[in-house]
Amino acid sequence: MARRTIQEAVNSMTERDAWKVTRELRDAILRLELRPGRSLDEAALAEALSVSRTPVREAIIQLIADGLVVREGRSAKVAPLDFDDLPKLYDALLIASRMVHRLAAQNRTDEDLKRITEQMELFKDAVASGDGVGRSETNFSFHMAIAKAADNRHFSAFYEQTLIGSIRIARACFVSAANEDENDVRLHLAETVRQHDLIFDAIKAHDAERADEYATLHHNLTKQRIKRIMFSGAPVLNGKLDLAVEWNLP
């Protein structure tokens, strides 16, 4: 019995370490601190994060499943960004978003509403403080709270994967682009906050049709901003004429 208890404690510690490492690596990838294509050395990461190699290895396995890391032979590296696949990514995101928001309106509980409200308010705080990274992370948490309310792990996993893909593209665009017009950013954020409120109201009212409508509206808001950034002279995105044609840009 004692041996089993000790082993259970060790397993529990390893699981916590693996969760911690997964979260830290995931955040580093989304913040572009770990750039696309960068090799991930298990020993170096274990030393930097003060854990054994086992939780690092488990974290990499999870990140591969999430599409953030790819395996090449025995080595792992941060998944590259494929801008040519962007239209298909956003098509998938729209489908996932509409379904998740419809399900959230149908299945949400009072506890779900509380969770969504908390994340919505955190996003507003990040907007007010001018914290760009905070905005991105709280916006993601807001949408993941909606995904949880949908109460369907299959659609939620699909939504999370496509949303993470779009976040990586967005971060790369904003890092590469010249400074955006401050007034444009301010208007975009104000509209984002307004749409979050509309989405919340629809989910609270169990109105699946309106939730679907606002999910589409919100998707288009983000997509149009990415389009503007991508084709406004961002160095990393120059030469994407074929992509501009596929997205029906002037």
Side-chain angles (χ1 to χ4, degrees):
M1 178 68 72
R3 289 182 180 177
R4 186 166 64 246
T5 301
I6 292 172
Q7 187 59 52
E8 287 175 351
V10 170
N11 290 342
S12 178
M13 290 175 61
T14 301
E15 289 174 3
R16 287 198 300 271
D17 284 343
W19 180 88
K20 175 185 174 184
V21 172
T22 301
R23 182 59 187 259
E24 292 196 24
L25 292 180
R26 177 185 169 281
D27 288 349
I29 291 171
L30 293 180
R31 291 181 180 185
L32 297 183
E33 293 167 3
L34 290 174
R35 296 280 180 164
R38 176 171 172 175
S39 295
L40 300 177
D41 182 276
E42 290 183 6
L45 288 171
E47 182 177 357
L49 298 172
S50 300
V51 296
S52 69
R53 293 182 64 169
T54 298
V56 173
R57 191 173 299 115
E58 292 179 358
I60 288 175
I61 291 172
Q62 181 58 54
L63 292 169
I64 290 173
D66 293 340
L68 291 174
V69 172
V70 294
R71 179 77 69 180
E72 288 190 352
R74 288 185 152 185
S75 63
K77 68 177 184 179
V78 178
L81 290 174
D82 184 0
F83 287 97
D84 292 326
D85 194 50
L86 195 53
K88 293 179 180 178
L89 170 64
Y90 271 85
D91 285 346
L93 178 59
L94 176 59
I95 292 171
S97 181
R98 292 181 62 187
M99 182 55 68
V100 162
H101 283 69
R102 290 186 70 91
L103 289 173
Q106 293 169 356
N107 300 329
R108 65 84 178 162
T109 64
D110 288 343
E111 186 62 30
D112 290 323
L113 290 180
K114 179 180 178 182
R115 189 179 301 110
I116 294 169
T117 299
E118 289 173 352
Q119 298 305 323
M120 188 165 59
E121 293 305 317
L122 286 174
F123 177 78
K124 291 178 181 178
D125 291 343
V127 168
S129 69
D131 178 6
V133 172
R135 287 199 306 263
S136 178
E137 293 179 348
T138 54
N139 185 57
F140 176 76
S141 296
F142 168 74
H143 288 290
M144 284 298 95
I146 293 172
K148 183 172 178 60
D151 195 29
N152 185 308
R153 64 184 178 87
H154 302 287
F155 280 120
S156 295
F158 177 37
Y159 183 47
E160 181 176 11
Q161 186 174 26
T162 53
L163 190 59
I164 286 175
S166 71
I167 289 172
R168 293 188 72 209
I169 293 290
R171 289 277 174 84
C173 289
F174 299 143
V175 167
S176 300
N179 292 333
E180 287 187 270
D181 182 86
E182 290 186 9
N183 189 56
D184 287 346
V185 174
R186 188 161 49 250
L187 290 174
H188 174 82
L189 293 175
E191 179 61 14
T192 299
V193 169
R194 187 184 79 87
Q195 290 185 13
H196 281 186
D197 288 338
L198 291 174
I199 289 168
F200 175 80
D201 289 344
I203 291 173
K204 181 179 180 180
H206 291 292
D207 192 331
E209 294 301 324
R210 277 201 301 146
D212 187 342
E213 176 186 346
Y214 295 145
T216 302
L217 182 70
H218 200 55
H219 173 86
N220 288 335
L221 177 70
T222 301
K223 182 176 174 180
Q224 291 301 323
R225 188 184 184 205
I226 293 297
K227 284 183 179 182
R228 289 196 302 272
I229 295 296
M230 287 189 69
F231 304 106
S232 64
V236 76
L237 303 169
N238 285 343
K240 294 297 181 183
L241 179 59
D242 291 341
L243 185 56
V245 171
E246 189 168 351
W247 267 17
N248 299 316
L249 293 178

